[in-house]
Amino acid sequence: MKSFQFIALAALTASLAAQQAAPPVNSTAAIFERTKAATVIILVGEGAGRLRSIATGVVISKDGVLLTALHAVKGAAEVQVRMANGEVFDRVELLGSDERRDVAALKISAGDLPALSAGSSVNLAQGDPVYAVTNADGLAWSATEGILSAIRPADEVPGAGSGFRLLQFSAPVAPGSSGGALVDRSGALIGIITSAKGSAGFAIPIENVAGLADSGHRTALGSGSSLQMPAKMDSDIPKSSAAIGDSDPKRMIKEAKTIYIHSKTAFLTVDTLDRALALQKDWSKLGLTIVQDQRVADLLVELDRPLFTYVHTFVIVDKRTSVLLGSGKVTAFDGTIASGGLAKDIVKIFAAVRLPPSSN
């Protein structure tokens, strides 16, 4: 008998411990947990793996259908979807879109996904609590809560458009939140976040866009296999002169892979210097690539010729820190003549760090 009582007591203790460990079904913690599981990061690229923006999406069916803000993916060359469990999907299809309401339906090739059940704005009242999980400011799966401030026509919100309703709420909204889920106190999906005006956030009622995936059309978006989350969102920009002071110019020159050339004068063009660099015997040994897009450059080379002079100048700058890495000037009648001397000096600066002493 004692043995039976001991087993029963152990079972009861284990049951109580499990109940204490798991949050109540409709507690704030449980709502955020379910919402996070169904919330995705959407990486949007411009091509060649260049990240344009980070947005949020929400899974609405287990077979991989999700909703997001249309402006987040419109015109994207590449799209990638990341789940909270670590799964990454590089191939994404556009199933439908609503230009007026700024919502898009996407599809990833997956099954048995955590999905949010659709609620309704019909039973919502002003002051009701609302919750969201978004990728605000690139900070993945950030939880916020607030209240429903109003349900109003879009016509009343400057710049929002017309002919539809908006859920106005007080939960904080920041860049990256677009496309996120707004859920009610039961954890049901009531809206798709699309915009913010000051301290007010706005979402489209789910019942107005739930059928977007049923258009019957599928448009494949560009593969996002080359897209990556920024490794360091804040540290890419130095916060103080001390951070810049710790920078090593020689290391910057040695580790650079790409340069972007910009000319501030019509007397010396980028193409002219490009050709002059190619003629330098050590240029091909440096392992540098000249790019046409400043956003993917490690270093910047700026050309100039001050007015009323024949002095042609260049400066080499680290794009991230703006630290000056080198400079030079050549006096010549025109840019074509000056380009040879400038190219020689530029190559000399790089060769001194990137090539063995015997090579330069």
Side-chain angles (χ1 to χ4, degrees):
M1 183 66 178
K2 289 183 178 180
S3 176
F4 174 78
Q5 290 176 338
F6 175 78
I7 294 173
L9 179 61
L12 178 61
T13 302
S15 176
L16 289 173
Q19 291 176 13
Q20 291 174 355
V25 175
N26 288 329
S27 70
T28 301
I31 290 173
F32 281 135
E33 186 177 341
R34 292 198 302 271
T35 306
K36 176 182 176 180
T39 297
V40 303
I41 297 173
I42 299 178
L43 300 185
V44 182
E46 297 182 329
R50 293 173 298 179
L51 186 64
R52 185 180 82 184
S53 61
I54 300 174
T56 307
V58 56
V59 179
I60 61 169
S61 72
K62 293 184 177 182
D63 62 349
V65 176
L66 56 98
L67 296 178
T68 187
L70 176 59
H71 73 261
V73 296
K74 190 173 184 179
E78 307 157 294
V79 176
Q80 182 187 97
V81 171
R82 297 188 172 208
M83 304 288 298
N85 64 5
E87 294 279 355
V88 178
F89 298 90
D90 298 321
R91 298 200 173 277
V92 184
E93 294 178 308
L94 176 66
L95 299 183
S97 61
D98 188 327
E99 293 274 354
R100 181 185 294 273
R101 293 173 176 79
D102 189 27
V103 177
L106 306 179
K107 177 75 167 64
I108 57 178
S109 299
D112 199 25
L113 296 179
L116 291 184
S117 58
S120 173
S121 63
V122 174
N123 298 321
L124 293 176
Q126 196 172 37
D128 280 351
V130 293
Y131 310 92
V133 175
T134 69
N135 304 305
D137 288 325
L139 300 174
W141 297 290
S142 299
T144 63
E145 63 179 312
I147 62 169
L148 182 71
S149 304
I151 301 177
R152 64 176 74 253
D155 309 62
E156 296 179 0
V157 182
S162 61
F164 60 98
R165 295 176 303 140
L166 285 169
L167 306 179
Q168 180 184 335
F169 60 96
S170 65
V173 173
S177 298
S178 294
L182 189 70
V183 301
D184 63 15
R185 70 178 76 199
S186 70
L189 177 63
I190 56 173
I192 303 299
I193 300 170
T194 56
S195 62
K197 300 287 183 183
S199 60
F202 295 94
I204 301 296
I206 185 61
E207 60 264 32
N208 297 144
V209 291
L212 279 180
D214 302 327
S215 66
H217 300 287
R218 290 193 172 193
T219 303
L221 303 177
S223 171
S225 58
S226 298
L227 295 174
Q228 296 291 331
M229 287 286 288
K232 298 177 181 178
M233 295 297 294
D234 294 327
S235 59
D236 285 342
I237 302 176
K239 297 294 188 296
S240 67
S241 58
I244 296 176
D246 291 336
S247 301
D248 181 358
K250 287 187 177 181
R251 179 178 56 81
M252 294 173 180
I253 292 175
K254 186 174 183 179
E255 295 180 354
K257 293 180 175 61
T258 56
I259 63 172
Y260 174 81
I261 303 173
H262 169 66
S263 180
K264 296 173 64 177
T265 175
F267 295 102
L268 178 55
T269 67
V270 173
D271 290 340
T272 300
L273 182 64
D274 194 350
R275 288 192 294 268
L277 287 171
L279 293 174
Q280 297 296 311
K281 66 181 182 68
D282 287 335
W283 173 250
S284 60
K285 303 176 185 178
L286 297 177
L288 289 168
T289 300
I290 299 174
V291 296
Q292 298 296 315
D293 191 331
Q294 180 175 335
R295 290 167 295 183
V296 297
D298 298 319
L299 305 180
L300 309 177
V301 177
E302 186 172 272
L303 310 175
D304 199 4
R305 193 186 96 166
L307 289 175
F308 311 117
T309 74
Y310 292 112
V311 178
H312 298 76
T313 66
F314 75 86
V315 292
I316 303 172
V317 176
D318 177 67
K319 188 184 75 171
R320 186 179 69 87
T321 62
S322 296
V323 170
L324 178 65
L325 304 178
S327 63
K329 62 182 179 180
V330 171
T331 302
F333 178 72
D334 64 23
T336 302
I337 298 173
S339 63
L342 294 176
K344 182 178 179 179
D345 288 346
I346 291 171
V347 169
K348 185 177 180 180
I349 290 172
F350 282 104
V353 177
R354 299 173 72 98
L355 299 180
S358 58
S359 301
N360 51 63

Coordinates of all heavy atoms in Angstrom, one line a residue, residues 1-2 40 58 72 116 161 181 191 216 223 245 253 260 262 290 306 329 344 350 353:
M1 N 0.8 -1.2 0.0 CA 0.0 0.0 0.0 C 0.9 1.3 0.0 O 0.6 2.2 -0.7 CB -0.9 0.0 1.2 CG -1.9 1.1 1.3 SD -3.1 1.1 0.0 CE -4.1 2.5 0.3
K2 N 1.9 1.2 0.9 CA 2.8 2.4 0.9 C 3.5 2.6 -0.4 O 3.7 3.7 -0.8 CB 3.8 2.2 2.0 CG 3.3 2.2 3.4 CD 4.4 2.1 4.4 CE 3.8 2.3 5.9 NZ 4.9 2.1 6.9
V40 N 8.4 34.4 -39.3 CA 9.6 34.2 -40.1 C 10.4 35.5 -40.3 O 9.8 36.6 -40.3 CB 9.3 33.5 -41.4 CG1 8.5 32.2 -41.2 CG2 8.5 34.5 -42.3
V58 N 4.4 35.9 -41.5 CA 3.7 35.0 -40.6 C 3.1 33.8 -41.4 O 2.5 34.0 -42.4 CB 2.6 35.7 -39.8 CG1 1.6 36.4 -40.7 CG2 1.9 34.8 -38.8
A72 N 7.6 45.1 -48.8 CA 8.9 44.5 -48.4 C 9.5 43.6 -49.5 O 10.7 43.5 -49.5 CB 8.6 43.6 -47.1
L116 N -0.5 30.1 -37.4 CA -1.4 30.8 -36.5 C -2.8 30.7 -37.1 O -3.0 30.8 -38.3 CB -1.1 32.3 -36.4 CG 0.2 32.7 -35.7 CD1 0.4 34.2 -35.6 CD2 0.2 32.0 -34.3
G161 N -3.8 55.5 -48.0 CA -4.6 55.1 -49.1 C -6.1 55.2 -48.7 O -6.5 56.0 -47.8
A181 N 2.8 39.6 -37.5 CA 1.5 39.2 -37.1 C 1.1 40.1 -35.9 O 1.8 40.2 -34.9 CB 1.5 37.7 -36.7
G191 N -4.3 40.5 -37.6 CA -3.9 41.5 -38.6 C -2.5 41.3 -39.1 O -1.7 40.6 -38.4
G216 N -4.5 31.2 -57.5 CA -4.2 30.2 -58.5 C -3.0 30.5 -59.3 O -2.6 29.7 -60.2
S223 N 16.1 33.1 -56.2 CA 16.7 32.3 -55.1 C 17.5 33.2 -54.1 O 18.3 34.0 -54.6 CB 17.6 31.2 -55.6 OG 18.2 30.6 -54.5
G245 N 39.9 54.9 -33.6 CA 41.3 55.0 -33.2 C 41.9 53.6 -33.1 O 43.1 53.4 -33.3
I253 N 43.9 47.9 -45.6 CA 44.4 47.7 -47.0 C 44.7 46.3 -47.3 O 44.4 45.8 -48.4 CB 45.7 48.6 -47.1 CG1 45.4 50.1 -47.0 CG2 46.4 48.3 -48.5 CD1 46.6 51.0 -47.1
Y260 N 35.8 50.8 -54.9 CA 34.8 51.6 -55.8 C 35.5 52.9 -56.1 O 36.0 53.6 -55.2 CB 33.5 51.8 -55.0 CG 32.6 52.7 -55.7 CD1 31.7 52.3 -56.7 CD2 32.4 54.1 -55.3 CE1 30.8 53.1 -57.4 CE2 31.5 54.9 -56.0 CZ 30.7 54.4 -57.0 OH 29.9 55.3 -57.6
H262 N 35.3 56.7 -57.6 CA 34.4 57.8 -57.8 C 35.2 59.1 -58.2 O 36.2 59.4 -57.6 CB 33.6 58.1 -56.6 CG 32.8 59.4 -56.7 ND1 31.7 59.5 -57.6 CD2 32.9 60.5 -56.0 CE1 31.2 60.7 -57.4 NE2 31.9 61.4 -56.5
I290 N 37.5 45.9 -58.9 CA 36.8 47.2 -59.0 C 35.3 46.9 -59.2 O 35.0 46.2 -60.1 CB 37.4 48.0 -60.1 CG1 38.8 48.4 -59.9 CG2 36.6 49.3 -60.3 CD1 39.5 49.1 -61.1
P306 N 40.9 70.2 -58.3 CA 40.4 71.5 -57.8 C 40.3 72.5 -59.0 O 41.1 72.5 -59.9 CB 41.4 71.9 -56.8 CG 42.1 70.7 -56.3 CD 42.1 69.8 -57.5
K329 N 48.9 63.1 -55.5 CA 48.5 64.1 -56.5 C 49.5 64.1 -57.7 O 50.7 63.7 -57.5 CB 48.4 65.4 -55.9 CG 49.7 66.0 -55.3 CD 49.5 67.3 -54.7 CE 50.8 67.9 -54.1 NZ 50.6 69.2 -53.4
K344 N 50.0 54.7 -60.7 CA 51.3 54.2 -60.2 C 51.4 54.4 -58.7 O 51.8 53.5 -57.9 CB 52.5 54.9 -60.9 CG 53.8 54.5 -60.4 CD 54.9 55.2 -61.2 CE 56.3 54.8 -60.7 NZ 57.4 55.5 -61.4
F350 N 49.1 50.1 -52.2 CA 48.6 48.8 -52.0 C 49.7 47.7 -52.0 O 49.7 46.8 -51.1 CB 47.5 48.4 -53.0 CG 46.2 49.0 -52.8 CD1 45.7 50.1 -53.6 CD2 45.3 48.5 -51.8 CE1 44.5 50.6 -53.4 CE2 44.1 49.1 -51.6 CZ 43.7 50.1 -52.4
V353 N 51.8 46.9 -48.8 CA 51.1 46.2 -47.7 C 50.8 44.7 -48.2 O 50.9 43.8 -47.4 CB 49.9 46.9 -47.2 CG1 49.2 46.0 -46.1 CG2 50.2 48.2 -46.6

